[in-house]
Amino acid sequence: MSAKGSPAASRRKGLTLTDVLVTVVVSLVLGVVYHVWASVSSIAGLLFIQSDELVYGMWFAASTLAFLLIRKPGVALIAEIAAAHLEIAFGSAYGIQLLLYSVLQGLAAELIFAAFRYRNTSAVVAGLAGVAAAAGSLLADIYYGYVTEYATWVIVLKYSLRAISSFVIAGWLMYGLAKLLERAGVTQSLRPVDRKEYDALDG
């Protein structure tokens, strides 16, 4: 069978309605987690200055997990925006500002997946996408003026911890979750999983 007519090729053509719906559902679930995660962040922040950044990576998880499950362009961006909408609906203190954060974070993650032509679903690439999303959040922080009150060393510490957290939580943790879902057969309803895709997930 030619590449043009193969199932893998057809899955790369674009998002289907099912893809969008599944992405939104994943984002809504993580949106609930985001809401609860604010308490986790508050507790983590008691350890030392900027220690709440150690768990910040969870807020980028929607983009990486959704992509690892769907593996199509645009999924990371849609996932971040959908999750942000649920946070707003829950009454987040950041309100409408979250929309800018979600767009910048989703686009940043998309750039990483695009750099690998949306074919690499390894933990490292997912981690890099998480770090990119963190960079997107930095841009939003700068825009809203949230970094002007910090000394230079605090800024370095803050965003270094955020990058590490993003690589671990949005990257490796979401990769592990996606792998579990793969092996449980959950993604069979989203896309056929062949041997090469299992190998790619292991890679």
Side-chain angles (χ1 to χ4, degrees):
M1 180 182 290
S2 67
K4 182 177 180 180
S6 68
S10 64
R11 292 199 302 274
R12 290 196 295 267
K13 285 183 178 179
L15 293 173
T16 65
L17 178 59
T18 299
D19 295 331
V20 174
L21 291 176
V22 171
T23 299
V24 170
V25 169
V26 169
S27 301
L28 292 180
V29 171
L30 284 174
V32 174
V33 174
Y34 289 177
H35 182 64
V36 177
W37 206 250
S39 298
V40 176
S41 179
S42 297
I43 295 172
L46 299 175
L47 298 176
F48 55 86
I49 184 171
Q50 299 301 322
S51 59
D52 57 313
E53 297 292 338
L54 290 172
V55 298
Y56 202 98
M58 179 59 73
W59 277 291
F60 312 130
S63 59
T64 53
L65 179 59
F67 173 75
L68 290 172
L69 296 177
I70 307 297
R71 303 183 183 183
K72 287 185 178 181
V75 167
L77 177 58
I78 294 172
E80 278 293 307
I81 293 175
H85 275 80
L86 188 63
E87 279 193 272
I88 294 172
F90 272 126
S92 170
Y94 292 98
I96 201 70
Q97 291 183 9
L98 289 177
L99 292 181
L100 177 61
Y101 277 93
S102 66
V103 171
L104 291 176
Q105 292 163 187
L107 284 174
E110 285 283 346
L111 288 176
I112 297 300
F113 294 132
F116 291 90
R117 302 177 66 182
Y118 295 98
R119 294 178 180 174
N120 192 322
T121 56
S122 68
V124 172
V125 171
L128 291 176
V131 173
S137 71
L138 169 58
L139 294 178
D141 283 350
I142 293 173
Y143 177 79
Y144 286 117
Y146 292 145
V147 299
T148 57
E149 61 188 82
Y150 297 123
T152 301
W153 72 270
V154 177
I155 293 175
V156 173
L157 173 64
K158 180 181 182 70
Y159 292 100
S160 294
L161 291 177
R162 183 176 297 188
I164 294 170
S165 171
S166 302
F167 190 90
V168 173
I169 298 178
W172 284 87
L173 183 60
M174 292 304 106
Y175 161 84
L177 179 56
K179 191 172 182 178
L180 287 175
L181 292 174
E182 289 271 10
R183 289 177 174 172
V186 174
T187 56
Q188 285 286 358
S189 60
L190 306 178
R191 53 182 171 78
V193 181
D194 57 28
R195 183 71 256 168
K196 290 183 179 179
E197 289 181 317
Y198 274 120
D199 293 341
L201 196 60
D202 290 332

